[in-house]
Amino acid sequence: MIDVLSYVSSQHRRDIDVADADLLDPNSSSPLPLEQGEWVAADSDGKMDRITSSSRTAVQVWTQRGDYGAQALDKVSVLFIGEYEAETDMYDAAETYAIGEPLTAKSVTIDAETRAGLTNDVTAGTDFIVGYVTKTPGDDGKLRFRKITPQLSA
């Protein structure tokens, strides 16, 4: 889930082919279907696939799970260009977060499933920072963050 708090009209969204149509099938068990708020990146063919490690080209999924239009076109809608502030449940809840802390997107465990989400487990010189914490998770289980253009962590 992603709840964009910034003006959505200022975001550049794109519909891009997926590497595996099963990523859009809400009943798929392998691979797990993409969830809104997960992170994807283009593969060598320019098609979107769930990321497993930090990526300079990581973008966040806007399409909701089970969207029939996405399934028919084999395309996923992503927030492609632009900075924004949002809340998400696609993050590593096992970590403790602090306001202003850098975030990267990579494989994390969410509800006993491997997903592509945010974490503050940033490896300097290897991982790309995609945002910063603007509000720590509360009782609602959401992490608020400001998305930035990805930059290599120092």
Side-chain angles (χ1 to χ4, degrees):
M1 179 281 310
I2 180 173
D3 183 13
V4 178
L5 305 174
S6 307
Y7 291 109
V8 177
S9 61
S10 65
Q11 304 311 311
H12 181 81
R13 295 181 302 268
R14 278 188 63 194
D15 294 331
I16 304 175
D17 292 334
V18 290
D20 182 346
D22 286 341
L23 287 168
L24 301 174
D25 179 354
N27 300 313
S28 177
S29 59
S30 182
L32 288 172
L34 288 171
E35 295 281 353
Q36 186 184 48
E38 275 197 88
W39 293 77
V40 294
D43 66 9
S44 60
D45 294 324
K47 296 182 178 185
M48 289 291 150
D49 202 355
R50 179 181 282 120
I51 62 170
T52 56
S53 60
S54 184
S55 169
R56 177 183 300 272
T57 59
V59 291
Q60 207 162 18
V61 173
W62 182 250
T63 301
Q64 292 183 343
R65 179 179 177 167
D67 181 294
Y68 291 120
Q71 292 176 59
L73 298 172
D74 287 339
K75 294 183 181 222
V76 64
S77 182
V78 297
L79 298 174
F80 195 70
I81 297 174
E83 294 188 3
Y84 52 87
E85 186 175 29
E87 291 183 333
T88 186
D89 60 358
M90 290 290 148
Y91 69 95
D92 186 355
E95 297 289 339
T96 301
Y97 296 88
I99 293 175
E101 195 169 33
L103 298 166
T104 190
K106 55 185 167 183
S107 287
V108 297
T109 301
I110 300 171
D111 296 331
E113 296 177 332
T114 302
R115 297 283 183 183
L118 294 172
T119 181
N120 59 0
D121 183 15
V122 178
T123 304
T126 302
D127 289 341
F128 289 90
I129 296 170
V130 297
Y132 291 92
V133 176
T134 57
K135 182 180 175 210
T136 58
D139 293 337
D140 61 0
K142 299 176 189 172
L143 175 69
R144 186 178 296 175
F145 67 100
R146 181 174 57 88
K147 196 298 196 162
I148 63 166
T149 301
Q151 55 187 310
L152 188 60
S153 58

